[in-house]
């Protein structure tokens, strides 16, 4: 086998995680003496996926911090040299390059709508271009996963949602950073050990069918597991769900010293099974045993279970959240909007963008409900509302006070979502009536560039 | 900001990339003295996504090699201790653990159908269980991406397909390992520098709209870029595609010393634009300039372009391949199929599996066309056909001769796909009529476990 078995990508390899054309364009700028010309790039999306009414912007501050540290080490330079596409003096320049620009970004976990920037980069064009591919990759992942998770958390209301999706997400980085996005969106726990430990989300775990199958019978498996873990969740559907619940009851009656905190239903008609399981447990005097449900859940099935009054106390969600199956992509664009002080825009059919440096203002009424947003030129003053874009990197240096941790971000998300009109948080396909307008000055500029 | 900015996951952190219940179950087995009991787990899928007629199994050999190296270092053990869920003596055992079992896997890039194992792990149950979550995560990613890419390559026929998707895939690991999957599936090149360099796939790059926008006008941008890169591809749709093509012609007529190898169309009606662009170029005497098309392409739009005789020489594919948007998940299962020498199976509704250790036999006719597969017990003899599962890890040691590199794998895929009936490689939704049967012995066992 000629390939390396290593799966890891070290932080100092990240500079090479880019599209080749970024490097060839930068070399061209450098040769043309254009590389230092000031430019602004804006990261935004033109359209929501049909199954989304908002996105939860996530990862943009974290990405900005990462990108401000980017550099090409000697190994990377040597690899680039080996492609035969780059001049030695350009590679010398590249090896000394550090990001010197500014990055404005909305806080982690900000609800956004089409054409609102997640972030804007003000930097010499070569530098801003150098960040493009990696910025998009990093922000795309967390925003896609957080946007899906926010809907699932919303559907579940006050019942906790736990992430069971590590095995389904697209690879290692998605598994680990996904937990960060989930936490921001309000997920209560995760089964993913490395992700949970790294991003400080409580670990949660039950048992697998294989554990039951490895024992002679279901009661033996339950007895053994409950003996080892006094605060345990037992999986009851390996053979027959209600018989499984009865086995839990039998085991607890036989051995009163054992305690079981919950049972997990993982197949079948979850609403009916939860009601029958609840009745069995209650009749046997085990009102304190909670019911956790999993098995292909998403926001729609959770909402339906709640509408059916299913007595489910917590939801375990895996696949659908792990890949955001109904909308695995948000079509982010990173576009040049200003060059050498002049606003720019692309005019390809259906690929237009708003020119110039921008700011988003979000207005509230006296009850704190969101009334609507204005997208304005960044240099405009006197526009009412909360300015969403804040400087997170200035002159290449991370502005640590502007960066919220995930705990803070998830609190902010939980506070913000109920302030939007119901048409924003509705789960059905469709569009919200939340007003997003351009300021007069931006509208004027946009029509004349 | 309280969280680390590092994005990297080191190889020796991978042991912690698991679901918590794996570790709690293993501790339970260890306490029960069951952890050394021999077991077999099988990795398979029960159903194809509606938009797939086969999967291209990818990553299973690479995953086996990775997993055979897994261990818990001192940092990992300390982190586990901090959760308060594990006994010190269990953690001692875990810190000394190395995988000692066997892994059988199909070669990278094997066409598979429901209920055929991608791999099987024969090991003490604690060890086999310890691999579950990471095996599924690793194999899922590469198999999902390779399965999509194989259809795209098939649709394109003899025209090369280049991966432009780095910015859309779900995170860093997916970006880098995705290139490995794409190469196996027959993708010809990638824009992704790190992915291409690591997995030895040719790098390919054109230019972005921002480069055009940063120049005073399109001809100036073309002139500058072609001067730097004699073998260049010019992006012609920033303002107006056919005007862009005319600008390429004008620039080349003005400066006969320049050469342009291709133009790239990235928006609009690609078939019509390609035909008009081809006519313009041919009429001007530039028959050698190739036409590359991109913009939301997938296997269906590529097939349509080819059916319309669009004179497109190569396809750049990004988003749809990067997340396998129509089937971002293949519902892999990793199930206990044998324990202490006894076949096991799970009986939950719609979650059944085939018991015991297995082998897949693929039969050919005298012309080399595939006739059908038999899934058999691994210990059966005398069954006709090529045995697909080969031992890649034996007694914890990687069998390097069984492992193909990606070059070899992609050659094998290109050879194998045309040998299947057209109903397997057809692009439309639907099922193939390729016969997959159980051997009599396996059918009998399956009905009696």
């Amino acid at each position: 086998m000629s390939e390396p078995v290593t799966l890891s990508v070290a932080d100092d390899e990240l500079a090479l995680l880019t599209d080749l054309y970024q490097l060839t364009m930068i070399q061209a700028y450098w040769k043309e003496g254009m590389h230092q010309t000031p430019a602004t790039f804006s990261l935004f999306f033109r359209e929501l996926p049909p199954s989304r009414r908002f996105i939860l912007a996530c990862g943009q501050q974290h990405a900005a911090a990462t990108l401000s540290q980017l550099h090409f080490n000697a190994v990377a330079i040597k690899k680039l040299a080996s492609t035969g596409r780059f001049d030695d003096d350009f590679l010398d320049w590249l090896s000394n390059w550090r990001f010197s620009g500014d990055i404005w970004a909305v806080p982690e976990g900000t609800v956004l709508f089409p054409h609102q920037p997640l972030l804007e980069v003000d930097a010499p064009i070569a530098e801003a271009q150098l960040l493009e591919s990696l910025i998009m990759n990093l922000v795309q992942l967390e925003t896609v996963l957080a946007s899906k998770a926010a809907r699932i958390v919303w559907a579940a209301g006050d019942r906790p949602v736990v992430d069971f999706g590590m095995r389904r997400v697209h690879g290692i980085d998605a598994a680990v950073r996904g937990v960060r996005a989930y936490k921001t969106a309000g997920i209560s726990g995760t089964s993913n050990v490395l992700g949970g430990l790294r991003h400080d989300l409580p670990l949660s775990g039950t048992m697998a069918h294989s554990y039951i199958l490895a024992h002679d019978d279901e009661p033996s498996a339950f007895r053994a597991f409950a003996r080892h873990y006094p605060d345990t969740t037992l999986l009851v559907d390996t053979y027959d769900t209600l018989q499984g619940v009865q086995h839990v009851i039998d085991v607890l009656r036989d051995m009163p010293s054992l305690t079981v905190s919950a049972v997990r239903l993982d197949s079948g008609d979850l609403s009916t099974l939860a009601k029958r399981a609840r009745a069995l447990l209650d009749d046997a005097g085990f009102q304190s045993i909670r019911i956790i449900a999993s098995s292909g859940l998403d926001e729609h099935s959770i909402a339906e279970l709640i509408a059916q009054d299913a007595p489910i106390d917590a939801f375990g969600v895996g696949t659908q959240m792990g890949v955001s199956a109904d909308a695995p992509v948000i079509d982010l664009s990173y576009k040049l909007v200003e060059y050498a002080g002049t606003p720019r825009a692309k005019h390809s059919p259906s690929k237009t963008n708003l020119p110039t440096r921008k700011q988003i203002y979000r207005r509230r009424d006296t009850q704190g409900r969101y009334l609507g947003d204005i997208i304005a030129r960044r240099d405009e003053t006197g526009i009412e509302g909360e300015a969403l874009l804040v400087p997170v990197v200035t002159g290449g240096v991370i502005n640590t006070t502007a960066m919220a941790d995930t705990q803070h971000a998830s609190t902010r998300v939980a506070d913000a979502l109920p302030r939007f009109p119901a048409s924003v948080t509705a789960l059905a396909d469709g569009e919200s009536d939340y007003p997003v307008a351009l300021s007069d000055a931006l509208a004027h500029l946009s029509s004349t560039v």
Side-chain angles (χ1 to χ4, degrees), chain A:
Chain A
M1 195 171 74
S2 63
E3 284 124 298
V5 172
T6 182
L7 298 178
S8 69
V9 176
D11 288 335
D12 65 3
E13 288 181 285
L14 286 178
L16 287 182
L17 191 56
T18 188
D19 289 301
L20 179 66
Y21 75 5
Q22 310 290 8
L23 296 169
T24 51
M25 283 192 289
I26 291 161
Q27 177 168 262
Y29 287 137
W30 180 82
K31 289 187 178 190
E32 295 166 66
M34 289 168 67
H35 61 294
Q36 297 285 22
T37 310
T40 295
F41 282 75
S42 190
L43 182 72
F44 66 98
F45 59 100
R46 294 189 181 92
E47 287 186 349
L48 286 163
S51 56
R52 294 284 181 278
R53 289 159 178 257
F54 67 90
I55 68 146
L56 196 69
C58 195
Q60 63 280 357
Q61 292 202 338
H62 201 247
T66 301
L67 294 159
S68 71
Q69 301 175 344
L70 220 55
H71 65 281
F72 292 84
N73 65 14
V75 176
I77 294 292
K78 204 171 151 188
K79 285 184 179 167
L80 289 179
S82 75
T83 70
R85 297 169 194 261
F86 302 102
D87 296 354
D88 288 347
D89 43 1
F90 171 70
L91 292 177
D92 275 349
W93 175 82
L94 201 61
S95 69
N96 291 312
W97 171 77
R98 293 294 185 282
F99 182 69
S100 69
D102 301 343
I103 304 179
W104 292 64
V106 299
E108 300 285 342
T110 298
V111 171
L112 286 187
F113 303 97
H115 286 286
Q116 298 185 327
L118 287 81
L119 62 74
E120 294 198 327
V121 176
D122 306 326
I125 190 164
E127 302 192 15
Q129 193 74 64
L130 207 41
L131 309 187
E132 174 174 352
S133 303
L134 189 56
I135 264 190
M136 291 180 73
N137 175 285
L138 295 178
V139 176
Q140 156 89 14
L141 169 68
E142 291 192 46
T143 295
V144 163
L145 296 185
S147 297
K148 180 68 172 176
R151 288 165 56 88
I152 291 171
V153 170
W154 182 262
D158 54 3
R159 308 184 204 196
V161 178
V162 177
D163 159 39
F164 285 173
M166 189 226 114
R167 62 187 63 192
R168 300 295 186 199
V169 299
H170 283 190
I172 296 167
D173 179 40
V176 176
R177 266 194 309 131
V179 172
R180 192 175 178 280
Y182 294 153
K183 186 177 174 187
T184 298
I187 296 293
S188 301
T190 180
S191 65
N192 175 341
V193 177
L194 185 60
L197 291 173
R198 187 176 283 194
H199 297 299
D200 198 22
L201 188 64
L203 298 183
S204 172
T206 61
M207 67 200 311
H209 297 105
S210 58
Y211 185 83
I212 310 288
L213 292 170
H215 289 77
D216 291 334
D217 52 40
E218 196 170 57
S220 314
F222 289 170
R223 248 190 315 271
F225 210 71
R227 210 158 27 211
H228 304 313
Y229 302 105
D231 180 34
T232 199
T233 298
L234 297 175
L235 179 64
V236 292
D237 76 322
T238 305
Y239 301 102
D240 174 276
T241 299
L242 297 177
Q243 189 191 63
V245 174
Q246 190 58 51
H247 284 155
V248 173
I249 292 167
D250 296 344
V251 164
L252 288 173
R253 282 185 172 152
D254 284 355
M255 305 182 66
S257 64
L258 296 182
T259 56
V260 169
S261 60
V263 294
R264 174 157 79 104
L265 319 181
D266 190 41
S267 56
D269 173 352
L270 294 173
S271 177
T272 304
L273 291 172
K275 285 172 186 167
R276 296 206 190 152
R278 185 73 272 156
L280 282 174
L281 291 167
D282 288 352
D283 288 352
F286 295 110
Q287 287 86 355
S288 67
I289 295 184
R290 297 160 72 234
I291 296 177
I292 299 175
S294 55
S295 185
L297 295 177
D298 66 6
E299 63 271 44
H300 302 293
S301 49
I302 288 174
E304 201 181 319
L305 288 167
I306 289 178
Q308 291 166 345
D309 285 325
I312 294 168
D313 300 288
F315 299 98
V317 182
T319 304
Q320 297 298 316
M321 190 166 77
V323 295
S324 183
D326 59 335
V329 172
I330 291 165
D331 203 7
L332 292 176
S333 293
Y334 180 83
K335 292 297 169 192
L336 181 71
V337 296
E338 198 167 302
Y339 180 71
T342 309
R344 300 270 168 143
K346 185 181 157 191
H347 294 273
S348 308
S350 77
K351 291 193 176 179
T352 56
N353 62 264
L354 295 172
T356 205
R357 302 174 178 204
K358 290 172 287 296
Q359 181 55 279
I360 307 163
Y361 295 91
R362 180 155 292 167
R363 290 173 305 123
R364 302 182 181 210
D365 68 13
T366 50
Q367 270 84 52
R369 291 174 300 212
Y370 291 129
L371 289 171
D373 297 350
I374 303 285
I375 310 175
R377 297 180 59 131
R378 204 194 293 160
D379 58 11
E380 288 184 75
T381 54
I383 297 180
E384 211 187 326
E386 182 192 0
L388 297 185
L389 289 152
V390 297
V392 291
V393 174
T394 305
V397 178
I398 302 172
N399 177 2
T400 50
T401 59
M403 303 235 175
D405 61 25
T406 50
Q407 197 61 52
H408 183 185
S410 63
T411 304
R412 197 156 19 69
V413 172
D415 174 76
L417 271 180
R419 298 179 188 275
F420 283 96
S423 69
V424 169
T425 46
L427 299 175
D429 285 9
E431 288 175 28
S432 83
D433 56 8
Y434 186 74
V436 177
L438 305 189
S439 73
D440 292 345
L442 184 60
H444 175 73
L445 180 69
S446 196
S447 65
T448 53
V449 169

